[in-house]
Amino acid sequence: MPTLPVIAIVDDDEDVRVATGSLVRSLGYTARIYASARDFLESCPVDAPDCVITDMQMPGMTGVEMHRGLLALGSRVPVIFVTAFPTEALRNTVLAAGASDFLGKPCDGATIIRSLEHALMGGSARDATA
């Protein structure tokens, strides 16, 4: 029996974690939620996900810093960034660093689903717009 994809959701906002986790589970995936980037990185080697959906701005460690940490560990897990403060410069920075996608908050379920499915197929936002 094939294993379900594991999606890590990293966000300091509990409501966002719960809602995104529910959406991910409704797609038939396994959702693992983390309240901080540090919590996620501390569990990552044991709990390697198939994709990460993360907030950009979190106390202690930002989503960008977490992504750099993953890259330093040699991880190539697709990362979808979500932020309430999207700018084109930030989008370009995270996509150039290898992020799978960059979404502005609030984002609807259909947008998250499309981005997640694309990431799980090995694509990136650059592929979708090319």
Side-chain angles (χ1 to χ4, degrees):
M1 183 166 93
T3 60
L4 298 175
V6 174
I7 312 304
I9 299 153
V10 185
D11 200 305
D12 59 316
D13 184 322
E14 182 178 7
D15 291 338
V16 171
R17 288 193 311 269
V18 170
T20 307
S22 293
L23 176 65
V24 165
R25 284 188 290 280
S26 77
L27 298 171
Y29 304 137
T30 299
R32 297 215 173 104
I33 60 174
Y34 303 89
S36 74
R38 289 200 194 287
D39 288 348
F40 169 71
L41 284 178
E42 288 173 2
S43 69
C44 192
V46 174
D47 236 6
D50 296 290
C51 185
V52 177
I53 301 172
T54 185
D55 190 13
M56 296 282 294
Q57 299 298 320
M58 295 178 284
M61 178 185 286
T62 68
V64 171
E65 292 167 334
M66 180 191 74
H67 187 229
R68 285 187 195 129
L70 287 170
L71 294 173
L73 293 170
S75 173
R76 297 296 174 244
V77 62
V79 176
I80 299 168
F81 285 99
V82 183
T83 183
F85 307 101
T87 65
E88 195 60 29
L90 189 54
R91 175 184 174 78
N92 292 338
T93 298
V94 299
L95 292 177
S100 178
D101 208 349
F102 178 84
L103 306 174
K105 286 183 181 177
C107 49
D108 60 75
T111 300
I112 295 171
I113 291 168
R114 190 171 40 255
S115 180
L116 182 56
E117 289 176 347
H118 196 72
L120 290 171
M121 290 187 293
S124 71
R126 288 179 305 232
D127 301 332
T129 59

